Amino acid sequence: MPLTRTRINELAQHLESAASHSRPVPKLTDADPQLSLAEAYDVQWALRERRIAAGARLTGLKMGLTSRAKMKQMGVATPIYGFLLDEYCAPADSDLSTTGLIHPRVEPEIALMTRAELRGPGCTIAQALAAIDFVIPALEIIDSRYADFKFDLASVIADNASSARYVVGGCARRVDELDLRTLGVVVEKNGAGVAFGAGAAVLGQPALSLAMLANLLAEREQVIPAGTYVMTGGLTEAVGAQAGEHFLARFQGLGSVSIRFT
């Protein structure tokens, strides 16, 4: 039986409370095993509406499960998406308190800023590339609200694709000045290299992640507006973070971005 609008809102409030109290909870499908992917996105959008009603401002969008290996592991043919808020944004090269986070992990990402609207279905890589204004390096701090960072696909979609914090730094470059597929990154934790990757880790081409986002949003009759900041997905595995640890990601041709956990 489909979930009622009341139940959708209850689940959104439940996840919002888990985040605000830094309290891990069981995955949603433990209590609602019939939760469909469409309903999971209903929960995510309800969560988004709750945060905006509380005064938060939408600052961008993000893609998740953009690794082919991770997609296969989760049994999906396309990535998932989530939203970014101003309350998630942490200044580059600053201190970020782990208070308010449950089990944070760090991922380096290629972020794109659009200069033209992108609309699906049928959005292509060529259209995505033409719509990019500039490329900028970023770190995403993901933090599932679920106990032990364990979840299924519907539960993680509802939980806004594990969004928690993000950091923008380095320098912006025009997309035609870079080869996004071969753009390399090294992640250092406390000065030691812990993760290595390149743009091809994101669906073979990060611009495809942007096109897929447009096509996924079309399922809800939504578009990617011009001037949208989009994080395209992790270039490496996510690295666990604890208080006292400093993370620095060096991006080929884009400079570096760092954050220190306290």
Side-chain angles (χ1 to χ4, degrees):
M1 178 181 298
L3 297 188
T4 65
R5 174 51 55 180
T6 297
R7 184 56 177 163
I8 293 292
N9 290 332
E10 288 174 350
L11 293 176
Q13 182 179 15
H14 175 63
L15 290 174
E16 182 182 40
S17 176
S20 63
H21 292 94
S22 307
R23 174 177 51 86
V25 296
K27 65 183 187 296
L28 295 192
T29 51
D30 286 357
D32 290 273
Q34 76 278 26
L35 182 69
S36 69
L37 299 189
E39 290 168 335
Y41 275 116
D42 287 340
V43 175
Q44 182 192 122
W45 281 76
L47 177 61
R48 170 175 166 169
E49 291 165 5
R50 290 182 63 86
R51 296 310 308 147
I52 291 174
R57 182 173 59 88
L58 185 70
T59 51
L61 299 168
K62 62 157 283 185
M63 290 288 276
L65 298 184
T66 52
S67 158
R68 296 288 189 189
K70 190 66 174 179
M71 288 167 62
K72 182 177 180 181
Q73 178 185 345
M74 296 295 288
V76 297
T78 60
I80 63 175
Y81 67 86
F83 59 88
L84 301 173
L85 301 174
D86 57 345
E87 60 192 14
Y88 298 170
C89 188
D93 310 317
S94 67
D95 292 342
L96 176 61
S97 175
T98 53
T99 302
L101 298 172
I102 301 171
H103 27 217
R105 301 181 182 185
V106 178
E107 293 180 344
E109 302 210 11
I110 293 173
L112 306 173
M113 181 67 74
T114 63
R115 59 185 175 89
E117 178 183 281
L118 277 174
R119 181 183 297 269
C123 182
T124 65
I125 294 180
Q127 290 171 325
L129 283 167
I132 297 170
D133 190 6
F134 58 85
V135 183
I136 192 167
L139 291 174
E140 183 177 21
I141 294 89
I142 58 174
D143 186 32
S144 174
R145 265 54 67 175
Y146 300 124
D148 301 320
F149 226 104
K150 294 181 179 179
F151 46 74
D152 53 29
L153 188 59
S155 296
V156 71
I157 288 172
D159 189 35
N160 195 25
S162 301
S163 297
R165 304 288 187 272
Y166 69 98
V167 187
V168 183
C171 61
R173 295 278 300 277
R174 291 174 55 88
V175 69
D176 57 9
E177 298 174 339
L178 301 166
D179 182 346
L180 296 182
R181 297 167 300 176
T182 61
L183 194 155
V185 64
V186 176
V187 179
E188 299 175 2
K189 181 169 75 171
N190 295 335
V194 290
F196 310 86
V202 178
L203 298 170
Q205 161 59 281
L208 179 56
S209 181
L210 182 62
M212 282 191 170
L213 175 58
N215 293 329
L216 287 167
L217 289 173
E219 296 175 5
R220 301 187 71 97
E221 299 183 347
Q222 300 288 326
V223 302
I224 303 175
T228 300
Y229 173 82
V230 178
M231 299 183 73
T232 57
L235 299 174
T236 72
E237 68 274 16
V239 181
Q242 299 181 13
E245 294 179 336
H246 176 262
F247 284 80
L248 172 71
R250 304 181 189 275
F251 290 78
Q252 182 181 4
L254 290 173
S256 61
V257 57
S258 71
I259 194 74
R260 182 183 303 278
F261 290 86
T262 62

